Amino acid sequence: MSQRHPVLTMTAISKHFPGVRALDGVDFRLFPGEVHALMGENGAGKSTLIKVLTGVYGTDAGTITLDGTQVSFTGPMQAAAAGVSTVYQEVNLCTNLSVAENIFIGREPRRGGAINWRQMRRQAQEALARLDLHIDVSELLGSYSLAVQQMVAIARAVDVQARVLILDEPTSSLDADEVAQLLRIMRQLRDQGIAILFVTHFLDQVYGIADRITVLRNGRLVGEYLTADLPQLALVEKMIGKELDALEQLDSEAGKDPARVAEGSPLVEADGLGRSGAVAPFSLTIHAGEVVGMAGLLGSGRTEVARLFFGADRADKGQLVVDGKPVAIRNPIAAIDRDIAFCSENRRTEGLIGELSVRENIILAMQAARGWLRPVPRRKQDELVQRWIEALSIRPADPERPVRNLSGGNQQKVLLARWLITEPRLLILDEPTRGIDIGAKTEIQRLVAQLSDGGMAVLFISAELEEVLRLSHKVAVMRDRQLVAQLTNDESLDADRVMRAIASGARQEGLEKA
Amino acid sequence: MTTTPLAVRADRAWWRVPQRHVPVLATFVLLLVMYGVGVAQYRAFSNIQVIFNIFIDNGFLLVVAVGMTFVILTGGIDLSVGSVVAMTAMVSASLLRDGMNPALVLVIALLIGPVLGFAMGCVIHYFDIQPFIVTLAGMFFARGMCTWISSTSIPITDGFWTSAAQERIRLGENFVSVSVLIALAVVAVAAFALAYTRLGRNVYAIGGNPQSALLMGLPVGRTKIAVYTISGLCSAIGGILLSFYTLSGAPLIAIGMELDVIAAVVIGGTLLTGGSGYVFGTVLGVLVLGVIQTLITFDGSLSSWWTKIVIGALLFAFILLQRLVGIRKK
Amino acid sequence: MSTVKARLAPVTGHRLFWPLVMLVVLLVANTVYRPSFLSVELKNGHLYGSLIDIVRLSAPLILVALGMSLVIATGGIDLSVGSVVAVSGAVACLWISEQPDQNSLGGVFTALAIAFGLALVLGVWNGVLVAVIGIQPIIATLILMVAGRGLAQLITSGQIITINSEPYKTIGVGHLLTLPFAIIIALVVAVIVAVLTRRTALGMIIESVGGNAEASRLAGIRSRRITLLVYVVSAACAAIAGFMMTANVSSADGNAAGLWVELDAILAVVIGGTSLAGGRFYLSGTIVGALIIQTLTTSVYAMNIDPQTALLFKAVVVIAVCLIQAPAFRARFRRKRTLAPPPPPAPTAEKQKEQVPA
C-alpha cells in the first residue's frame, strides 16, 4: 500500500489575492484507487486549491505533478484533457439538452460529418450502465432529479478517461437515498483505480467513504491523515482549530449569565420550524437580551435556520411565535415588521448594493420600512449615518463613497449599521466576522455584547467556536441540517464539549429545557 | 421507487408528449385551426394554391426567421435583419443598374450580410456589449447605407433577376416560385445543421447555460460569432429573395420586419431566453403569420392592422405558455 | 504633466464628460458648417434659432427617455413606448376630431385625460407582465410593441386623423414666455420625475432594486410595486410625448407616430451613462443623450443629407459610446497601455453562481 505512487502531487502551493493569503505552502497528494476527502471551514482554501489544480487560477509558488511530470493547466478544459475532471456543486451541464448529449457534447461521435445520434445514445447508455444507472438517455437532462444530473456529470467526467476525479460538494443538495447511490458509484470508480478528491461538509459521508483526509485551515495545511487514524472529534478540532489569536477577552460578567436572560417570556420562539431540503424541524427560543450562538460546520444548516427566522425562505413546517403570538413570516417584510433583522453571510450578493453609497446602504432598510413616499429627511440621514460611522468606526468615514470600494470589515459594519438604525429586537448575524481583519472582528464582538446588554436578542452564527463561546448565553449546535444540541453556556461548557456535539451529534448532551 | 429511486424519471405528462414539443405542437394545432376556419368560411381557401401563395409571399421572411432562430437559440437577438434585407436588395439593385454581371452582384450581395453579422458578433463577444445594442447599431448602419445608396426606389430590369422572379415551377395544377425552393432549401440546411452538427448542438448548449458550455469546453465565443454571421447570411439571402419578389431595391422596405421575424420565431415555440426550439417550429410560426394575413385578405372587411393585434395576442399567449411550461418544469 | 493629469481626472472622469464633449463637437461642427447656427433671435416675443429648434424637437425624446431611464435602472427595458406614443396620440386626436368645436379647451382636456388614462392602463399591463407574471422585460414589452401599433391603427381606422385644434396644437408648436411650449413641458416633466425620484426615496429604491434585487428583497423593499410603478411612469411619459408629436403635425398616424422612438430613447439613456444592467441612473445624462441624438439628426438634415442617412452617423455614435463605456473594451486598452497584469479573478468567483434561466 505504501509503495504506491501518488497520481497527483501538489507541493508547497501558495496563492495570494490582494489582502488575502488564500494558500500558504500547501502540500497535497492523491493516490490512485482512493477517495481523499479535502476538509476545512470557510476560507480554509479548499476551493482555491481545486481552482489552482484545475488551472482556473495560476500559482504564486509551488509545483503540481501528474504521473510524475510537472503540469500547469491553463484551465479546466486542459485539465480534463490531461485526465483531471471536476464535477461541481451546481451541476454544470445543460438541462435543455438530452442526457446523451450532456455526456458527449463537444466530442460527439460523427459519421460523414453528421452527428451519429444512434451511436451516441448507445455509448451514453453504456457509460451510465457502468455507473449502474439505467435511464432513457434521449430524455432532457432537466427532466431528471438533481442526483441523476450529478451522476451524468460524473459519467461525463469519467468518460473522458479521467484518472483524477474532483467532486466539489456533490452531495449538498441530495437526499439520503441519493447520497447513498452517489457514494456507491464513488466506491465503484475507486475500485476501478480512479483517484477521487472529495469535498463535502458531511462528516458521515467522509467517514463512510474516504480513505484519507487532508485538513486545511486558513490557507495552511493542518495535516494529512488516514481516516482510520482520525476520530471525528479530532477532525473537527483540526478543522476549527483553537486559535490563540490576539483577540482580547471580553468582559465575561454580562456575557455569561444565562440565568439573567432566560427569565421572562421568550421574544421569539421557533416551534417545529423547518423547510424540506434545507433544515429539519427544530425548536429554539430566544429571549430579549440573549445571545444565542449557533455552532456547526459549514453546510450544517446554520444559514438555513437564520433564513427561516427572517422569512428569506418560507418555512413549510412548524411556526414562529413572536411575543407569544404565532405569526406567519412569509417574507422579509413580515419579519422586519416584527423587528427582526438579518445580516447575511454573503455581504456582496445578499447584503449590500455595491453601487450605492455608504449612506444609502445604511438607511436602506429604514427607508424600505417607511415606504418610498416618506423619505428619511436628508438631515436625519446624515445625522444617523454620521453617528453610526463613528460608533462603528467605519473607514473611510465618507458617507458618499460607493460601498463596494470599502474593505470587507467596513462593509460588514455598514450592513450592521443598516439594521441597527431600525432598532430591531432580534438581530440575526450570519458569520459577521468572516473574512475581516482582527481589529474589526473585535469591534463587532464587543458591539454584540453591548447590544445584548441593552436588551437586544442576537442570533449569532459563526464557524469560530471561540467567538461563539465568548459571546453566547446559549449555544445551539447544528449538524447535517439538524439542530442536535442546545447547550447552556455556563462554566462547564468549553470548546471540547461543543466540538463533541458537532462531531457526534449527541442529542442528549446538556439539552436545555426551553 | 424501492431499489433505484434515482432511475425514476421526474414526473412526465400523462399525454406522453415530451414537454419540449408542447410549444411546437400548440403552434401546429393553432395553424390547423386557423386553416380550418379559413376553409370553412371561404370556399376558395381550400385551393392548394392558397398555401403555395403563403410560401411565395413569405419566402424571404422564412429565410430571415431561420437565421433569427439560430441567434435566439443562443439567447441573443438580432435587430438588424430587416435593415440588412433592405440593404442587400438595394446593393443588388444599384449594382445591376450600373450594369455589373449578375453573378458577381449575387456574390457581393450575399457577402454583405455575413460580414456585418460577423462584425456584430465580434463586438458582442469580445467587448461583452448586449446584442440588443450592437444589433441596434447594425440596424441603423444598414438602414443608413440604404438611403446613402439611393433615397428612391431602384427598379431591377436584369434578365436573370426577372426570370428568377417570374419563373413558375409547376406542381400539378399549381405552382411555386424559385424563391420558395430556395427558402425550403435554407430551412433544410438549417434544420440539418442544428440537429446534426457540433455547431448546432453548441448553439443549444450556449442558449441553455453559457457558464456550463464554457466549462464543458465548448467554443462559446466562436459559436456566438457564428450565429450572428449565419443570421447575416440568412438576411442577405432574404434580401435577394425580396428583390426577386419586388424586382426593385427600396430604401424603406422591410422596416419593422425584425418584429415579424421575432414574433414568428417565438410563436414557433422557440424560447426567447434561448436553448429550446426548432427550425420546424419557425416554419410553422411564419405560416401562422401568413395564414393570418391571408385570412384578413379573404375577409375583406377586416383591416390590415388586425394582423398586428392578432400577432401581439398570439405572442402573449405563447409567451404565457412558455412561462407555464417553464414553471411546471421546476 | 502628471499634476495636470491628476487635476483633470475628476473632470474627464465625470460621467457627463464624454457625452458633453460629443454634444460640443456636434455643435462646433454645425457652427463651422453654418456660422449662423448658434444665433438665437427674438421674433414676436418668441425665441427662434437652430438651437431652440433642436431643444424643441428633442422634447418628445427627452420625455420618453426619462421614463426609460427609470425602467432601465430597475434592470428592465420598455420596448413598447413607441406604440404607447402612437396610441395616446391617436386617441387624443380621434376624440378631438369628433368634437363639434375642436378648439374647445374642455374637449381638448377630456381628450388628453382619456388618452393619458389609456396609456396608464398600458403601462400597468407591461408592469404586471414583468413584475407579477415574471416575464423578461424585453419580451413582455415586445408584445405591446407589436400589438400597440395595430391598436393605434385600429383607433385611427388606418387613416391619418387630421385635426384643427389650436389648443392641442399649442402642445407641439406653441410658445409660452418666449419659449416653445414643448420645451417647457419637457422641462416640467423632467423636474417632476427628478422630484419624484430624488426628493422621495423612490430613486434610491429603484437603484437598489436594479443594483441587487435579492439584497433589496432582504432589506425589506417591495420590489414588485416599484417595478410596476416604473413601467407606468414610462407609459405616462410616452403618452405626453405622443401628444407632443401629434400636436406638432396636427395629425395622428398610427403607423408612423413614435416609430423608432424606443430605440432612440434607450440610446439616449445609455449615452447618458446609465447601465443597461440596471442600478444607478442619471436623468441629466439622459437629457444630454437625447439632445445629442436630436442634434445629430438636425445637423445631418441641415447639411442636406437624407434624414435616413443620419442613421449611419447614429450607428457610429452608438458603437463609439457603448465601446467607451464597456468595461471589456476599457480593460483591453488599459492592459495595452500599462501592461499591468489583469486583476485576479477572485471577486468573480461568486459570479459563476448566477445561472441563466433556461
Side-chain angles (χ1 to χ4, degrees), chain A residues 257-276:
Chain A
D257 185 5
R260 177 181 65 79
V261 292
E263 290 163 6
S265 54
L267 172 68
V268 178
E269 206 176 343
D271 181 9
L273 203 64
R275 179 179 160 86
S276 51

PDB file of all heavy atoms in Angstrom, chain A residues 257-276:
ATOM      1  N   ASP A 257     -24.243  35.149  31.759  1.00  0.00           N
ATOM      2  CA  ASP A 257     -25.149  34.944  32.866  1.00  0.00           C
ATOM      3  C   ASP A 257     -26.456  34.425  32.302  1.00  0.00           C
ATOM      4  O   ASP A 257     -27.426  35.160  32.160  1.00  0.00           O
ATOM      5  CB  ASP A 257     -25.357  36.261  33.616  1.00  0.00           C
ATOM      6  CG  ASP A 257     -26.205  36.044  34.861  1.00  0.00           C
ATOM      7  OD1 ASP A 257     -26.525  34.862  35.150  1.00  0.00           O
ATOM      8  OD2 ASP A 257     -26.567  37.038  35.490  1.00  0.00           O
ATOM      9  N   PRO A 258     -26.477  33.158  31.947  1.00  0.00           N
ATOM     10  CA  PRO A 258     -27.647  32.611  31.274  1.00  0.00           C
ATOM     11  C   PRO A 258     -28.909  32.777  32.105  1.00  0.00           C
ATOM     12  O   PRO A 258     -29.991  32.954  31.566  1.00  0.00           O
ATOM     13  CB  PRO A 258     -27.304  31.133  31.097  1.00  0.00           C
ATOM     14  CG  PRO A 258     -25.823  31.032  31.293  1.00  0.00           C
ATOM     15  CD  PRO A 258     -25.442  32.136  32.201  1.00  0.00           C
ATOM     16  N   ALA A 259     -28.757  32.732  33.415  1.00  0.00           N
ATOM     17  CA  ALA A 259     -29.945  32.796  34.257  1.00  0.00           C
ATOM     18  C   ALA A 259     -30.643  34.144  34.108  1.00  0.00           C
ATOM     19  O   ALA A 259     -31.865  34.224  34.083  1.00  0.00           O
ATOM     20  CB  ALA A 259     -29.545  32.563  35.712  1.00  0.00           C
ATOM     21  N   ARG A 260     -29.826  35.189  33.960  1.00  0.00           N
ATOM     22  CA  ARG A 260     -30.405  36.528  33.887  1.00  0.00           C
ATOM     23  C   ARG A 260     -31.354  36.658  32.696  1.00  0.00           C
ATOM     24  O   ARG A 260     -32.453  37.194  32.805  1.00  0.00           O
ATOM     25  CB  ARG A 260     -29.296  37.572  33.777  1.00  0.00           C
ATOM     26  CG  ARG A 260     -29.815  38.987  33.630  1.00  0.00           C
ATOM     27  CD  ARG A 260     -28.681  39.992  33.508  1.00  0.00           C
ATOM     28  NE  ARG A 260     -27.887  39.825  32.292  1.00  0.00           N
ATOM     29  CZ  ARG A 260     -28.267  40.263  31.095  1.00  0.00           C
ATOM     30  NH1 ARG A 260     -29.424  40.882  30.953  1.00  0.00           N
ATOM     31  NH2 ARG A 260     -27.514  40.079  30.041  1.00  0.00           N
ATOM     32  N   VAL A 261     -30.903  36.185  31.546  1.00  0.00           N
ATOM     33  CA  VAL A 261     -31.693  36.451  30.349  1.00  0.00           C
ATOM     34  C   VAL A 261     -32.811  35.459  30.119  1.00  0.00           C
ATOM     35  O   VAL A 261     -33.765  35.750  29.423  1.00  0.00           O
ATOM     36  CB  VAL A 261     -30.793  36.476  29.107  1.00  0.00           C
ATOM     37  CG1 VAL A 261     -29.881  37.669  29.172  1.00  0.00           C
ATOM     38  CG2 VAL A 261     -30.017  35.184  28.983  1.00  0.00           C
ATOM     39  N   ALA A 262     -32.669  34.268  30.691  1.00  0.00           N
ATOM     40  CA  ALA A 262     -33.682  33.262  30.399  1.00  0.00           C
ATOM     41  C   ALA A 262     -34.977  33.508  31.149  1.00  0.00           C
ATOM     42  O   ALA A 262     -35.961  32.829  30.931  1.00  0.00           O
ATOM     43  CB  ALA A 262     -33.153  31.869  30.737  1.00  0.00           C
ATOM     44  N   GLU A 263     -34.956  34.519  32.054  1.00  0.00           N
ATOM     45  CA  GLU A 263     -36.189  34.824  32.763  1.00  0.00           C
ATOM     46  C   GLU A 263     -37.186  35.476  31.817  1.00  0.00           C
ATOM     47  O   GLU A 263     -36.821  36.015  30.780  1.00  0.00           O
ATOM     48  CB  GLU A 263     -35.903  35.793  33.916  1.00  0.00           C
ATOM     49  CG  GLU A 263     -35.128  35.144  35.039  1.00  0.00           C
ATOM     50  CD  GLU A 263     -34.504  36.199  35.940  1.00  0.00           C
ATOM     51  OE1 GLU A 263     -34.802  37.398  35.722  1.00  0.00           O
ATOM     52  OE2 GLU A 263     -33.716  35.819  36.804  1.00  0.00           O
ATOM     53  N   GLY A 264     -38.412  35.464  32.218  1.00  0.00           N
ATOM     54  CA  GLY A 264     -39.447  36.130  31.440  1.00  0.00           C
ATOM     55  C   GLY A 264     -39.828  35.322  30.219  1.00  0.00           C
ATOM     56  O   GLY A 264     -39.257  34.279  29.928  1.00  0.00           O
ATOM     57  N   SER A 265     -40.816  35.853  29.494  1.00  0.00           N
ATOM     58  CA  SER A 265     -41.304  35.103  28.345  1.00  0.00           C
ATOM     59  C   SER A 265     -40.357  35.309  27.171  1.00  0.00           C
ATOM     60  O   SER A 265     -39.736  36.353  27.033  1.00  0.00           O
ATOM     61  CB  SER A 265     -42.718  35.581  27.991  1.00  0.00           C
ATOM     62  OG  SER A 265     -42.700  36.974  27.822  1.00  0.00           O
ATOM     63  N   PRO A 266     -40.251  34.280  26.326  1.00  0.00           N
ATOM     64  CA  PRO A 266     -39.331  34.401  25.192  1.00  0.00           C
ATOM     65  C   PRO A 266     -39.790  35.447  24.187  1.00  0.00           C
ATOM     66  O   PRO A 266     -40.995  35.707  24.064  1.00  0.00           O
ATOM     67  CB  PRO A 266     -39.344  33.000  24.589  1.00  0.00           C
ATOM     68  CG  PRO A 266     -40.554  32.335  25.110  1.00  0.00           C
ATOM     69  CD  PRO A 266     -40.906  32.976  26.393  1.00  0.00           C
ATOM     70  N   LEU A 267     -38.821  36.037  23.505  1.00  0.00           N
ATOM     71  CA  LEU A 267     -39.144  37.032  22.474  1.00  0.00           C
ATOM     72  C   LEU A 267     -39.583  36.326  21.193  1.00  0.00           C
ATOM     73  O   LEU A 267     -40.642  36.597  20.639  1.00  0.00           O
ATOM     74  CB  LEU A 267     -37.904  37.890  22.211  1.00  0.00           C
ATOM     75  CG  LEU A 267     -37.997  38.856  21.051  1.00  0.00           C
ATOM     76  CD1 LEU A 267     -39.002  39.952  21.344  1.00  0.00           C
ATOM     77  CD2 LEU A 267     -36.629  39.457  20.753  1.00  0.00           C
ATOM     78  N   VAL A 268     -38.751  35.414  20.753  1.00  0.00           N
ATOM     79  CA  VAL A 268     -39.052  34.678  19.524  1.00  0.00           C
ATOM     80  C   VAL A 268     -38.897  33.197  19.822  1.00  0.00           C
ATOM     81  O   VAL A 268     -37.972  32.795  20.521  1.00  0.00           O
ATOM     82  CB  VAL A 268     -38.103  35.075  18.376  1.00  0.00           C
ATOM     83  CG1 VAL A 268     -38.414  34.266  17.124  1.00  0.00           C
ATOM     84  CG2 VAL A 268     -38.208  36.550  18.081  1.00  0.00           C
ATOM     85  N   GLU A 269     -39.803  32.425  19.289  1.00  0.00           N
ATOM     86  CA  GLU A 269     -39.811  31.007  19.565  1.00  0.00           C
ATOM     87  C   GLU A 269     -40.094  30.257  18.273  1.00  0.00           C
ATOM     88  O   GLU A 269     -41.109  30.500  17.625  1.00  0.00           O
ATOM     89  CB  GLU A 269     -40.948  30.741  20.567  1.00  0.00           C
ATOM     90  CG  GLU A 269     -40.748  29.539  21.413  1.00  0.00           C
ATOM     91  CD  GLU A 269     -41.892  29.424  22.433  1.00  0.00           C
ATOM     92  OE1 GLU A 269     -42.600  30.438  22.663  1.00  0.00           O
ATOM     93  OE2 GLU A 269     -42.084  28.336  22.954  1.00  0.00           O
ATOM     94  N   ALA A 270     -39.158  29.410  17.893  1.00  0.00           N
ATOM     95  CA  ALA A 270     -39.413  28.560  16.729  1.00  0.00           C
ATOM     96  C   ALA A 270     -40.000  27.263  17.242  1.00  0.00           C
ATOM     97  O   ALA A 270     -39.441  26.647  18.140  1.00  0.00           O
ATOM     98  CB  ALA A 270     -38.123  28.280  15.976  1.00  0.00           C
ATOM     99  N   ASP A 271     -41.143  26.888  16.692  1.00  0.00           N
ATOM    100  CA  ASP A 271     -41.820  25.706  17.193  1.00  0.00           C
ATOM    101  C   ASP A 271     -41.941  24.690  16.057  1.00  0.00           C
ATOM    102  O   ASP A 271     -42.813  24.792  15.206  1.00  0.00           O
ATOM    103  CB  ASP A 271     -43.207  26.132  17.703  1.00  0.00           C
ATOM    104  CG  ASP A 271     -43.974  24.946  18.276  1.00  0.00           C
ATOM    105  OD1 ASP A 271     -43.363  23.870  18.433  1.00  0.00           O
ATOM    106  OD2 ASP A 271     -45.175  25.112  18.541  1.00  0.00           O
ATOM    107  N   GLY A 272     -41.013  23.763  16.035  1.00  0.00           N
ATOM    108  CA  GLY A 272     -41.022  22.756  14.972  1.00  0.00           C
ATOM    109  C   GLY A 272     -40.802  23.356  13.591  1.00  0.00           C
ATOM    110  O   GLY A 272     -41.237  22.787  12.586  1.00  0.00           O
ATOM    111  N   LEU A 273     -40.150  24.506  13.537  1.00  0.00           N
ATOM    112  CA  LEU A 273     -39.941  25.203  12.277  1.00  0.00           C
ATOM    113  C   LEU A 273     -38.998  24.389  11.388  1.00  0.00           C
ATOM    114  O   LEU A 273     -37.984  23.872  11.847  1.00  0.00           O
ATOM    115  CB  LEU A 273     -39.315  26.571  12.576  1.00  0.00           C
ATOM    116  CG  LEU A 273     -39.485  27.671  11.536  1.00  0.00           C
ATOM    117  CD1 LEU A 273     -40.949  28.037  11.380  1.00  0.00           C
ATOM    118  CD2 LEU A 273     -38.661  28.881  11.919  1.00  0.00           C
ATOM    119  N   GLY A 274     -39.329  24.289  10.108  1.00  0.00           N
ATOM    120  CA  GLY A 274     -38.462  23.540   9.220  1.00  0.00           C
ATOM    121  C   GLY A 274     -38.812  23.807   7.771  1.00  0.00           C
ATOM    122  O   GLY A 274     -39.848  24.400   7.451  1.00  0.00           O
ATOM    123  N   ARG A 275     -37.922  23.379   6.913  1.00  0.00           N
ATOM    124  CA  ARG A 275     -38.163  23.530   5.480  1.00  0.00           C
ATOM    125  C   ARG A 275     -37.527  22.335   4.805  1.00  0.00           C
ATOM    126  O   ARG A 275     -36.326  22.076   4.973  1.00  0.00           O
ATOM    127  CB  ARG A 275     -37.532  24.824   4.980  1.00  0.00           C
ATOM    128  CG  ARG A 275     -37.693  25.068   3.489  1.00  0.00           C
ATOM    129  CD  ARG A 275     -37.033  26.392   3.140  1.00  0.00           C
ATOM    130  NE  ARG A 275     -36.720  26.483   1.732  1.00  0.00           N
ATOM    131  CZ  ARG A 275     -37.581  26.912   0.808  1.00  0.00           C
ATOM    132  NH1 ARG A 275     -38.788  27.296   1.152  1.00  0.00           N
ATOM    133  NH2 ARG A 275     -37.221  26.964  -0.449  1.00  0.00           N
ATOM    134  N   SER A 276     -38.326  21.602   4.055  1.00  0.00           N
ATOM    135  CA  SER A 276     -37.796  20.366   3.494  1.00  0.00           C
ATOM    136  C   SER A 276     -36.670  20.678   2.518  1.00  0.00           C
ATOM    137  O   SER A 276     -36.733  21.619   1.757  1.00  0.00           O
ATOM    138  CB  SER A 276     -38.905  19.584   2.794  1.00  0.00           C
ATOM    139  OG  SER A 276     -39.591  20.419   1.910  1.00  0.00           O
TER     140      SER A 276
END
